[in-house]
Each structure stands twice: as C-alpha cells, then as structure tokens.
Amino acid sequence: MRPSGRAIDALRPVSIQTGFARHAEGSALIRMGGTEVLCAASIESRVPPFLRGKGQGWVTAEYGMLPRATHSRGPREAAKGKQGGRTHEIQRLIARALRAGIDLRALGEISITVDCDVLNADGGTRCAAITGAWVALRLALDGLVRANVIPALPITAQVAAVSCGLTGAGAVLDLDYAEDSNAVADANFVLTETGGIVEIQGTAEQAPFSQEQFNELMRLAQVGTAQLFEIQRDAVAQAVTA
C-alpha cells in the first residue's frame, strides 16, 4: 500500500493553470499533488554572444525554490551569493528538456527564458517544472506566431517528465515526498509524446536494481507521461481559445 493510497500506476491530482503570471509572454502554474511550480516564459529579441550572427535562437531555464516551499525554511540562494549545485543541475536539465522539442533555427535570433519557481514542494519538483515549462514555452511561441514574428511554431516535440521509483509497494509512479525519501531507487524520466527519450536520471539508494525493474519503471513513466501530455494539450487549447 502506498502512503497516499494511490494505485502503483496513478499520478497525483494534476492541474495546469495558464496565464497565472500576467506579464509573462507565457505562463503556467502546475500542481502535482502538493507540489506547485510557477513557470513563466520571457522573450528577448537577442541571443547569447556565442550565437550572434548564426541565425538561430536559444531556449534556457532558471529554477528556484521559495524559502518555505519545504518543511523548514531554506535560505535564499541570492543571499548566499551563489546557486547551489542542485539548483544548477536542475535548471540545466529543464533547459535541455525544452530545447529537445524546439527547432532553434526556425526560432531565429530570439531567446526565451523559462523561470521555474517552486511555491510548494512535495516531491517531483523538477519533473513538474519540465511539464509546466513546456506549456509556458508553447504559449510564448504561440504569441510570436500571432504577432507574425515567426511564420510557424518551431516545436518538434511535446515534452513532459515524471518520476518513478522502487518502494515497499514495488515499482510506483509519481513519487511524493514520503515515498521519495524512503525509496530504494528512483528515476526521473523526460519523454516525448512519440515515445522518444530525452533524458533519464536514475539512482539506486541501496542495492542495485535489475533490468526488469528498470523496464517496469519505464513502463510506468510512459503511462504517466501519456496522461501529462493530454493535460498539457488541454491547458494549451483552453488558453488559446480564451
């Protein structure tokens, strides 16, 4: 039995609210159980120095966690004068995931930064951030098409992410904090709607896990992301209609 009472292949309740950040070119507040992440996409008509004159755009991401997103207060990284290693690693993961679904040459010399701020953390924050960031990015790109800045959407893949792990209940989908903190192995799967693998991060916390166990985690991730893709599409459709 899982602590939440969920079936092994059940996601936590998921919702995506678009337009939450009113001034951003695209935004999405994603809720996955007790985890809430605000994703806001900002557009700039310039690219980093290493891309100037090359006729292609850039998509990147920044990630942060509010001081009381967790059970005890965490100090603001800005107050310490530098980002922690975990923050740096997560925001690079989000950026890689987003770029995996974009034709940067079709974007032209435009930069889009997606800020992902964790308001409440209950496990799976990086996966929620990726799933919400894709929606925010898609809405920002829709705006560029409507404004005739670019002729068509430069999207090549829909991207979402979910965690899976091995617990006392066996292989389970979408770990919350109670499960994640006690899992014997856990993995984050970043996948596309066509079944492509963008990135998999997996760790055995105790004994190594088997190929068969990994295959079951992969199956669960495919089940979970199929639902997330549908939720993403619904959120985008409602935002565009509105």
Side-chain angles (χ1 to χ4, degrees), residues 127-139:
C127 293
I130 290 168
T131 302
W134 186 89
V135 173
L137 176 61
R138 167 62 193 269
L139 295 177

Side-chain angles (χ1 to χ4, degrees), residues 113-200:
T113 301
V114 184
D115 289 290
C116 300
D117 291 292
V118 179
L119 310 182
N120 288 292
D122 186 28
T125 61
R126 72 186 67 194
C127 293
I130 290 168
T131 302
W134 186 89
V135 173
L137 176 61
R138 167 62 193 269
L139 295 177
L141 292 170
D142 279 339
L144 289 175
V145 173
R146 289 197 305 273
N148 295 315
V149 176
I150 55 177
L153 285 171
I155 291 177
T156 59
Q158 186 177 352
V159 179
V162 74
S163 65
C164 299
L166 300 174
T167 70
V172 297
L173 172 67
D174 189 21
L175 284 73
D176 56 28
Y177 177 78
E179 292 175 317
D180 187 40
S181 60
N182 291 291
V184 297
D186 64 273
N188 300 303
F189 293 82
V190 186
L191 307 176
T192 71
E193 85 284 10
T194 57
I197 297 171
V198 176
E199 190 156 342
I200 299 173

Side-chain angles (χ1 to χ4, degrees), residues 11-51:
L11 292 171
R12 292 170 289 178
V14 181
S15 67
I16 299 177
Q17 178 184 347
T18 59
F20 190 86
R22 295 177 311 193
H23 304 294
E25 284 81 5
S27 69
L29 175 62
I30 181 168
R31 297 181 173 94
M32 296 186 70
T35 290
E36 298 178 312
V37 185
L38 175 59
C39 306
S42 302
I43 297 172
E44 295 180 282
S45 56
R46 57 190 177 93
V47 292
F50 71 91
L51 286 176

